[in-house]
Amino acid sequence: MLKKNSARRAVKLTLPIFFGYISIGIPFGLMVVNAGYPWWMSLFMGLTIFSGTGQYIGIGLMAAGASLPSFLITQFFVGIRHIVYGLSLLKKYKRTNVGNWKFFLIFSLTDETYALTTTCEVPEGEHPGEFYSLIAALNWSYWLLGGLIGALLGTVLPFSFAGVDFALNSLFIVLMIEQIKKSKDFFPSLCGIGTATLAIILSRLGILPAQQVLIVSLSLGIAVLLLVRGIFDKRRQ
């Protein structure tokens, strides 16, 4: 059982994430209702998937009538970065002995939770698994709350949904700009923009089905990055 001071510290650490998750969770809830699904679908998806990007994309795919294989493959590519996150946390979790909490920590891993667990220190005398799990659980609850608020508002209040689905896009654009500023590396962003544009053009020409645009652009972008980076790394050696 965590001490009150440790619990307060976890709340303080996750407070910025609270505002972020509420602000993008509400548009997601509104999107769920606008797509014709019941309000509880927002809560259900948050409980079972817990992925902002995955849930935003999932609603769009479901509304477009995408097949189950397409849905699953897209979700895999969207969340593929978590493989890297998980590998980088192996030593940390093993060293701190998170114990039986590891399964919940695997499920609840998000970009924001990863950022916190890799930078924060566990309070003295506390069990690392409990402290990290509290951080993850708080973040999870913030996301669920945001989606639930949005879904309920969408069912009881008249609301214009114009531009709502761009909420997550705008967040990632800001993150991309900040990443470019820090790394001074434009190539990954340009690669993503280029492959996405190519996939959209192929779709408009009737060569590529609309449901496959995201899968193709992600696959092509990853392939180009691996190829180009591999060639340059070999030249540097």
Side-chain angles (χ1 to χ4, degrees), residues 25-31 33 42 145-155 161:
I26 290 176
F28 170 72
L30 291 169
M31 277 185 61
V33 176
S42 170
L145 179 61
L148 183 61
I149 291 173
L152 292 176
L153 286 176
T155 59
F161 292 92

PDB file of all heavy atoms in Angstrom, residues 25-31 33 42 145-155 161:
ATOM      1  N   GLY A  25      -9.543  13.322 -25.228  1.00  0.00           N
ATOM      2  CA  GLY A  25     -10.521  12.274 -24.950  1.00  0.00           C
ATOM      3  C   GLY A  25     -11.939  12.720 -25.264  1.00  0.00           C
ATOM      4  O   GLY A  25     -12.749  11.936 -25.766  1.00  0.00           O
ATOM      5  N   ILE A  26     -12.254  13.974 -24.964  1.00  0.00           N
ATOM      6  CA  ILE A  26     -13.597  14.499 -25.241  1.00  0.00           C
ATOM      7  C   ILE A  26     -13.916  14.454 -26.743  1.00  0.00           C
ATOM      8  O   ILE A  26     -14.986  13.967 -27.129  1.00  0.00           O
ATOM      9  CB  ILE A  26     -13.745  15.922 -24.673  1.00  0.00           C
ATOM     10  CG1 ILE A  26     -13.780  15.869 -23.134  1.00  0.00           C
ATOM     11  CG2 ILE A  26     -15.006  16.604 -25.208  1.00  0.00           C
ATOM     12  CD1 ILE A  26     -13.827  17.231 -22.458  1.00  0.00           C
ATOM     13  N   PRO A  27     -13.016  14.920 -27.619  1.00  0.00           N
ATOM     14  CA  PRO A  27     -13.308  14.792 -29.061  1.00  0.00           C
ATOM     15  C   PRO A  27     -13.491  13.344 -29.494  1.00  0.00           C
ATOM     16  O   PRO A  27     -14.309  13.057 -30.374  1.00  0.00           O
ATOM     17  CB  PRO A  27     -12.075  15.417 -29.716  1.00  0.00           C
ATOM     18  CG  PRO A  27     -11.551  16.359 -28.713  1.00  0.00           C
ATOM     19  CD  PRO A  27     -11.797  15.707 -27.388  1.00  0.00           C
ATOM     20  N   PHE A  28     -12.745  12.426 -28.883  1.00  0.00           N
ATOM     21  CA  PHE A  28     -12.917  11.021 -29.246  1.00  0.00           C
ATOM     22  C   PHE A  28     -14.321  10.544 -28.888  1.00  0.00           C
ATOM     23  O   PHE A  28     -14.985   9.868 -29.673  1.00  0.00           O
ATOM     24  CB  PHE A  28     -11.883  10.142 -28.538  1.00  0.00           C
ATOM     25  CG  PHE A  28     -12.176   8.675 -28.683  1.00  0.00           C
ATOM     26  CD1 PHE A  28     -11.990   8.029 -29.893  1.00  0.00           C
ATOM     27  CD2 PHE A  28     -12.665   7.940 -27.605  1.00  0.00           C
ATOM     28  CE1 PHE A  28     -12.282   6.679 -30.026  1.00  0.00           C
ATOM     29  CE2 PHE A  28     -12.959   6.593 -27.739  1.00  0.00           C
ATOM     30  CZ  PHE A  28     -12.768   5.967 -28.958  1.00  0.00           C
ATOM     31  N   GLY A  29     -14.785  10.893 -27.683  1.00  0.00           N
ATOM     32  CA  GLY A  29     -16.133  10.517 -27.277  1.00  0.00           C
ATOM     33  C   GLY A  29     -17.182  11.095 -28.202  1.00  0.00           C
ATOM     34  O   GLY A  29     -18.164  10.420 -28.556  1.00  0.00           O
ATOM     35  N   LEU A  30     -16.980  12.332 -28.629  1.00  0.00           N
ATOM     36  CA  LEU A  30     -17.904  12.957 -29.573  1.00  0.00           C
ATOM     37  C   LEU A  30     -17.894  12.230 -30.919  1.00  0.00           C
ATOM     38  O   LEU A  30     -18.939  12.054 -31.547  1.00  0.00           O
ATOM     39  CB  LEU A  30     -17.519  14.424 -29.782  1.00  0.00           C
ATOM     40  CG  LEU A  30     -17.726  15.365 -28.583  1.00  0.00           C
ATOM     41  CD1 LEU A  30     -17.070  16.710 -28.842  1.00  0.00           C
ATOM     42  CD2 LEU A  30     -19.201  15.541 -28.278  1.00  0.00           C
ATOM     43  N   MET A  31     -16.699  11.788 -31.341  1.00  0.00           N
ATOM     44  CA  MET A  31     -16.588  11.055 -32.599  1.00  0.00           C
ATOM     45  C   MET A  31     -17.344   9.734 -32.547  1.00  0.00           C
ATOM     46  O   MET A  31     -17.974   9.327 -33.521  1.00  0.00           O
ATOM     47  CB  MET A  31     -15.121  10.774 -32.916  1.00  0.00           C
ATOM     48  CG  MET A  31     -14.389  11.901 -33.594  1.00  0.00           C
ATOM     49  SD  MET A  31     -12.708  11.386 -34.037  1.00  0.00           S
ATOM     50  CE  MET A  31     -13.064  10.028 -35.170  1.00  0.00           C
ATOM     51  N   VAL A  33     -20.044   8.950 -30.823  1.00  0.00           N
ATOM     52  CA  VAL A  33     -21.481   9.194 -30.946  1.00  0.00           C
ATOM     53  C   VAL A  33     -21.829   9.648 -32.359  1.00  0.00           C
ATOM     54  O   VAL A  33     -22.836   9.220 -32.938  1.00  0.00           O
ATOM     55  CB  VAL A  33     -21.937  10.247 -29.902  1.00  0.00           C
ATOM     56  CG1 VAL A  33     -23.408  10.587 -30.094  1.00  0.00           C
ATOM     57  CG2 VAL A  33     -21.690   9.730 -28.494  1.00  0.00           C
ATOM     58  N   SER A  42     -17.344   4.270 -26.227  1.00  0.00           N
ATOM     59  CA  SER A  42     -16.142   5.030 -25.878  1.00  0.00           C
ATOM     60  C   SER A  42     -15.469   4.421 -24.649  1.00  0.00           C
ATOM     61  O   SER A  42     -14.244   4.234 -24.616  1.00  0.00           O
ATOM     62  CB  SER A  42     -16.505   6.494 -25.613  1.00  0.00           C
ATOM     63  OG  SER A  42     -15.413   7.190 -25.053  1.00  0.00           O
ATOM     64  N   LEU A 145     -12.125   9.040 -18.592  1.00  0.00           N
ATOM     65  CA  LEU A 145     -12.995  10.151 -18.201  1.00  0.00           C
ATOM     66  C   LEU A 145     -13.226  11.106 -19.368  1.00  0.00           C
ATOM     67  O   LEU A 145     -14.362  11.521 -19.623  1.00  0.00           O
ATOM     68  CB  LEU A 145     -12.379  10.910 -17.024  1.00  0.00           C
ATOM     69  CG  LEU A 145     -13.148  12.127 -16.507  1.00  0.00           C
ATOM     70  CD1 LEU A 145     -14.530  11.715 -16.008  1.00  0.00           C
ATOM     71  CD2 LEU A 145     -12.368  12.835 -15.403  1.00  0.00           C
ATOM     72  N   GLY A 146     -12.161  11.438 -20.085  1.00  0.00           N
ATOM     73  CA  GLY A 146     -12.301  12.340 -21.223  1.00  0.00           C
ATOM     74  C   GLY A 146     -13.230  11.775 -22.287  1.00  0.00           C
ATOM     75  O   GLY A 146     -14.118  12.469 -22.789  1.00  0.00           O
ATOM     76  N   GLY A 147     -13.042  10.495 -22.621  1.00  0.00           N
ATOM     77  CA  GLY A 147     -13.898   9.865 -23.623  1.00  0.00           C
ATOM     78  C   GLY A 147     -15.340   9.775 -23.180  1.00  0.00           C
ATOM     79  O   GLY A 147     -16.268   9.988 -23.974  1.00  0.00           O
ATOM     80  N   LEU A 148     -15.543   9.481 -21.899  1.00  0.00           N
ATOM     81  CA  LEU A 148     -16.900   9.368 -21.367  1.00  0.00           C
ATOM     82  C   LEU A 148     -17.612  10.712 -21.374  1.00  0.00           C
ATOM     83  O   LEU A 148     -18.790  10.803 -21.753  1.00  0.00           O
ATOM     84  CB  LEU A 148     -16.848   8.808 -19.937  1.00  0.00           C
ATOM     85  CG  LEU A 148     -18.192   8.555 -19.257  1.00  0.00           C
ATOM     86  CD1 LEU A 148     -19.012   7.540 -20.038  1.00  0.00           C
ATOM     87  CD2 LEU A 148     -17.972   8.070 -17.825  1.00  0.00           C
ATOM     88  N   ILE A 149     -16.908  11.766 -20.984  1.00  0.00           N
ATOM     89  CA  ILE A 149     -17.499  13.110 -20.998  1.00  0.00           C
ATOM     90  C   ILE A 149     -17.926  13.486 -22.411  1.00  0.00           C
ATOM     91  O   ILE A 149     -19.043  13.979 -22.639  1.00  0.00           O
ATOM     92  CB  ILE A 149     -16.508  14.153 -20.441  1.00  0.00           C
ATOM     93  CG1 ILE A 149     -16.292  13.942 -18.940  1.00  0.00           C
ATOM     94  CG2 ILE A 149     -17.023  15.573 -20.703  1.00  0.00           C
ATOM     95  CD1 ILE A 149     -15.206  14.831 -18.359  1.00  0.00           C
ATOM     96  N   GLY A 150     -17.040  13.238 -23.368  1.00  0.00           N
ATOM     97  CA  GLY A 150     -17.354  13.574 -24.748  1.00  0.00           C
ATOM     98  C   GLY A 150     -18.545  12.805 -25.284  1.00  0.00           C
ATOM     99  O   GLY A 150     -19.415  13.367 -25.959  1.00  0.00           O
ATOM    100  N   ALA A 151     -18.595  11.504 -24.975  1.00  0.00           N
ATOM    101  CA  ALA A 151     -19.694  10.673 -25.470  1.00  0.00           C
ATOM    102  C   ALA A 151     -21.027  11.097 -24.870  1.00  0.00           C
ATOM    103  O   ALA A 151     -22.047  11.169 -25.567  1.00  0.00           O
ATOM    104  CB  ALA A 151     -19.416   9.202 -25.145  1.00  0.00           C
ATOM    105  N   LEU A 152     -21.025  11.399 -23.580  1.00  0.00           N
ATOM    106  CA  LEU A 152     -22.263  11.816 -22.923  1.00  0.00           C
ATOM    107  C   LEU A 152     -22.728  13.179 -23.424  1.00  0.00           C
ATOM    108  O   LEU A 152     -23.922  13.402 -23.631  1.00  0.00           O
ATOM    109  CB  LEU A 152     -22.077  11.842 -21.400  1.00  0.00           C
ATOM    110  CG  LEU A 152     -21.880  10.476 -20.726  1.00  0.00           C
ATOM    111  CD1 LEU A 152     -21.604  10.650 -19.238  1.00  0.00           C
ATOM    112  CD2 LEU A 152     -23.105   9.592 -20.937  1.00  0.00           C
ATOM    113  N   LEU A 153     -21.778  14.082 -23.618  1.00  0.00           N
ATOM    114  CA  LEU A 153     -22.137  15.392 -24.162  1.00  0.00           C
ATOM    115  C   LEU A 153     -22.719  15.257 -25.566  1.00  0.00           C
ATOM    116  O   LEU A 153     -23.666  15.959 -25.926  1.00  0.00           O
ATOM    117  CB  LEU A 153     -20.904  16.306 -24.196  1.00  0.00           C
ATOM    118  CG  LEU A 153     -20.413  16.872 -22.865  1.00  0.00           C
ATOM    119  CD1 LEU A 153     -19.128  17.662 -23.068  1.00  0.00           C
ATOM    120  CD2 LEU A 153     -21.473  17.746 -22.222  1.00  0.00           C
ATOM    121  N   GLY A 154     -22.147  14.345 -26.337  1.00  0.00           N
ATOM    122  CA  GLY A 154     -22.622  14.151 -27.698  1.00  0.00           C
ATOM    123  C   GLY A 154     -24.032  13.605 -27.775  1.00  0.00           C
ATOM    124  O   GLY A 154     -24.731  13.800 -28.775  1.00  0.00           O
ATOM    125  N   THR A 155     -24.480  12.924 -26.716  1.00  0.00           N
ATOM    126  CA  THR A 155     -25.826  12.348 -26.726  1.00  0.00           C
ATOM    127  C   THR A 155     -26.885  13.314 -26.212  1.00  0.00           C
ATOM    128  O   THR A 155     -28.071  13.154 -26.531  1.00  0.00           O
ATOM    129  CB  THR A 155     -25.870  11.074 -25.860  1.00  0.00           C
ATOM    130  OG1 THR A 155     -25.482  11.396 -24.514  1.00  0.00           O
ATOM    131  CG2 THR A 155     -24.935  10.012 -26.412  1.00  0.00           C
ATOM    132  N   PHE A 161     -19.851  18.732 -35.171  1.00  0.00           N
ATOM    133  CA  PHE A 161     -18.705  17.831 -35.150  1.00  0.00           C
ATOM    134  C   PHE A 161     -17.647  18.203 -36.186  1.00  0.00           C
ATOM    135  O   PHE A 161     -16.686  17.454 -36.370  1.00  0.00           O
ATOM    136  CB  PHE A 161     -19.178  16.397 -35.404  1.00  0.00           C
ATOM    137  CG  PHE A 161     -19.997  15.840 -34.282  1.00  0.00           C
ATOM    138  CD1 PHE A 161     -21.379  15.958 -34.283  1.00  0.00           C
ATOM    139  CD2 PHE A 161     -19.393  15.214 -33.211  1.00  0.00           C
ATOM    140  CE1 PHE A 161     -22.143  15.445 -33.248  1.00  0.00           C
ATOM    141  CE2 PHE A 161     -20.142  14.701 -32.172  1.00  0.00           C
ATOM    142  CZ  PHE A 161     -21.523  14.816 -32.185  1.00  0.00           C
TER     143      PHE A 161
END
